[in-house]
């Protein structure tokens, strides 16, 4: 059996189609975080008829069951540019149109230019828009950040 191919963290692309955008890819991102989806644990105790030592009462048992699957928020960071697509998406949600503005976001990890692994975030909408601190004494690229809530997280086939 061959060793699995490990993918480099710096080789990914994100597909996100926003209203009013004519581009297939609405950004080239410097960073992407928030890849977590957790299974909540529901715990309950019950008293069984099983004897417990010298006691006349039953033994207490702990049972753990799977609850809801819950994801964090996805955070995307890119160099600030003239495109207003992220701001308009955030603004539309802020005006009360959040249900219509939910999107599916795909994140694909590449080996060279060949897609290898893909994840999909469904029913995603922006919860936070941020511009990094601005400084006059640096030549760094200004960073635009958007935080996105999502309901579904799935590893998909390519």
């Amino acid at each position: 059996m061959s060793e699995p191919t490990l993918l480099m963290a710096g080789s990914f692309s994100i597909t996100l189609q926003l209203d009013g955008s004519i581009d297939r890819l609405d950004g080239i991102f410097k960073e992407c975080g928030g890849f977590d989806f957790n299974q909540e644990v529901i715990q309950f105790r019950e008293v069984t008829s099983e004897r417990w030592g010298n006691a006349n009462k039953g033994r207490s048992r702990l049972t753990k069951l799977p609850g809801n699957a819950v994801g964090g928020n996805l955070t995307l960071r890119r160099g600030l540019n003239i495109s207003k697509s992220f701001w308009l998406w955030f603004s539309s949600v802020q005006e009360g149109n959040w249900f219509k503005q939910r999107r599916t976001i795909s994140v694909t990890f590449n080996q060279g230019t060949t897609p290898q692994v893909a994840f999909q975030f469904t029913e995603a909408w922006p919860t936070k828009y941020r511009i990094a601190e601005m400084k006059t004494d640096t030549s760094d690229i200004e960073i635009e950040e958007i935080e996105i809530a999502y309901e579904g997280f799935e590893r998909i086939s390519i």
Side-chain angles (χ1 to χ4, degrees):
M1 178 180 256
S2 65
E3 288 291 319
T5 303
L6 300 177
L7 302 175
M8 301 303 291
S11 181
F12 65 90
S13 64
I14 296 173
T15 304
L16 171 62
Q17 186 67 38
L18 299 175
D19 284 352
S21 174
I22 58 172
D23 298 324
R24 184 184 70 77
L25 192 65
D26 276 314
I28 297 171
F29 297 90
K30 178 182 171 93
E31 293 179 38
C32 178
F35 279 77
D36 63 348
F37 212 59
N38 302 303
Q39 185 73 47
E40 290 182 336
V41 177
I42 299 171
Q43 297 185 51
F44 71 91
R45 291 199 176 270
E46 61 184 331
V47 177
T48 68
S49 59
E50 180 183 341
R51 286 188 47 109
W52 185 45
N54 293 330
N56 292 336
K57 298 180 181 170
R59 184 178 196 107
S60 174
R61 292 274 182 206
L62 173 65
T63 302
K64 295 182 182 184
L65 298 173
N68 293 325
V70 179
N73 288 345
L74 193 63
T75 302
L76 304 176
R77 291 179 189 89
R78 69 178 182 181
L80 182 63
N81 59 49
I82 62 171
S83 171
K84 290 174 55 177
S85 59
F86 274 173
W87 174 253
L88 293 173
W89 189 31
F90 177 78
S91 180
S92 184
V93 169
Q94 192 177 26
E95 292 168 4
N97 296 321
W98 72 272
F99 190 79
K100 288 189 214 174
Q101 292 302 320
R102 295 181 305 167
R103 297 287 178 263
T104 297
I105 299 173
S106 298
V107 178
T108 303
F109 290 87
N110 305 310
Q111 190 72 40
T113 58
T114 306
Q116 299 290 325
V117 175
F119 295 90
Q120 195 168 65
F121 300 85
T122 56
E123 308 302 336
W125 54 275
T127 65
K128 180 179 180 180
Y129 179 88
R130 179 177 180 266
I131 300 296
E133 290 183 31
M134 293 184 270
K135 300 177 186 177
T136 58
D137 64 344
T138 183
S139 61
D140 292 344
I141 294 172
E142 189 58 48
I143 301 297
E144 177 181 39
E145 177 180 295
I146 191 160
E147 188 172 315
I148 301 169
Y150 56 88
E151 294 177 16
F153 175 66
E154 180 180 5
R155 184 170 173 168
I156 58 174
S157 299
I158 295 184

